[in-house]
Amino acid sequence: MLVVARNTVAAARRATDAVTALHHAGVPIAGLVIVADGAGAEPRDATARFSLLEGRVRGVVRMPFVPGLRLVDDVTQIPLPERARDALASIRGVVNGQVADR
């Protein structure tokens, strides 16, 4: 199971609720994927909330903002920057039982 959230304060709150509920239900969570919502920095309150979840998931992966994905219907037409390709590789690693860099 992966929990995916934008990097906003509201999304961090919802991710916390989801991870807590899944954890209490005994559902193992492979990872938390935090998707950048824009080119700016992640809000400090969101970062703090996400950091509290690190002990409940196998790995945390941050997916960078890719502006081109908002502009097309077919996302396969956008070449991904290296950081996004690295994040996808980390997500695959988390799903396959490897711990992602936090």
Side-chain angles (χ1 to χ4, degrees), residues 39-56:
E42 183 174 283
R44 286 180 18 193
D45 288 348
T47 302
R49 195 176 286 266
F50 287 133
S51 70
L52 295 174
L53 299 178
E54 289 180 1
R56 294 185 174 185

Side-chain angles (χ1 to χ4, degrees), residues 75-87:
V75 297
T76 63
Q77 300 305 309
I78 299 296
L80 290 178
E82 184 176 356
R83 285 183 53 223
R85 290 192 311 268
D86 291 346

Side-chain angles (χ1 to χ4, degrees), residues 62-66 69 80-89 91:
R62 282 188 159 72
M63 174 63 74
F65 179 63
V66 181
L69 294 177
L80 290 178
E82 184 176 356
R83 285 183 53 223
R85 290 192 311 268
D86 291 346
L88 285 174
I91 292 167

